[in-house]
Amino acid sequence: MARRPFVAGNWKMNGTLTDARELMAGLRNAVEPGMPVDVAVCTPFTLLYPMGKELDGTDIKLGAQNCYFEKKGAFTGEISPGMLSAANCTYVIIGHSERRYVLGETGDLLRAKVKSCLEEGLSVIYCVGELLDERDAGKTTDVVGRQLAESLSDDLDHARLTIAYEPVWAIGTGRTATPDQAQEVHAFIRERMGGLFGADAGAAMRIQYGGSVKPGNAAELMACPDVDGALVGGASLVAEDFAGIIRAAAATA
Ligand code: 13P
């Protein structure tokens, strides 16, 4: 099954409007018309409205990095799925390991977030991935399987769901999973998604790899049969690097 590659930049807590405009100046032409790849940048909340304008007329879509599950009300400091839609977001990242391990988000909370965002019409990038001691203990698939099972259910609109496999030990460390390590977990995720949503849906679902993806390693990772693109942190803040990763993804299509 041919899946269209998908590259998303996760800017994390980086960037003022000045930085973002500078980055966009370098990125504006990174996706040439007709390039066989979907591209998004997931910016801090404060940049969503201006970045929506900056991205107008480009083939780069806008995404957020988090969202609350309630529609509105007394939830100080939170942002709702409807607010993201109103700010022209197409995508939202849910369950990033920094939300799980730095901010303490649980599987139950993430389940509510995924459901609410999909119901709003957003496309969700749901992140999973094991810690280094979990990998060393041979528990990678147990952990990833649990993260999938506890936050995804068969009633979800899976057509707008992407899974991102981000081994926590590879995030921001310069240490990438080998293509074989990535492929093994991606194949496992696809099988689980097939079990949950049906074989066709599993075969159609895009699974991104994330964790120290750079222009130099993107091609070999994305050459793996079950790796359909990348969720990129640090390298997405450097226009030439992000553009290189986009080109590597498009070349696999
Ligand atoms: P790095 O690419 O900086 O390792 O970050 C990966 C990541 O967490 C993307 O969500």
Side-chain angles (χ1 to χ4, degrees), residues 10 12 93 96 98 166 170-173 210-214 231-235:
N10 174 9
K12 308 193 179 186
I93 299 170
H96 192 279
E98 287 144 21
E166 299 203 306
I171 295 178
T173 58
S212 298
V213 177
K214 311 281 177 220
L231 184 55
V232 186

Side-chain angles (χ1 to χ4, degrees), residues 69 94-96 100 105-118 124-129 142-158 161-163 193 196-197:
F69 64 88
I94 299 290
H96 192 279
R100 291 177 191 267
E105 295 195 355
T106 63
D108 281 348
L109 176 64
L110 297 174
R111 170 185 284 264
K113 291 186 175 201
V114 169
K115 186 168 189 298
S116 174
C117 287
L118 288 172
V124 169
I125 301 172
Y126 178 65
C127 302
V128 295
D142 288 354
V143 171
V144 169
R146 173 177 49 73
Q147 291 171 335
L148 294 170
E150 68 191 3
S151 301
L152 304 178
S153 50
D154 60 5
D155 58 338
L156 294 174
D157 187 352
H158 51 75
L161 181 64
T162 296
I163 308 295
M193 293 298 89
L196 187 61
F197 298 119

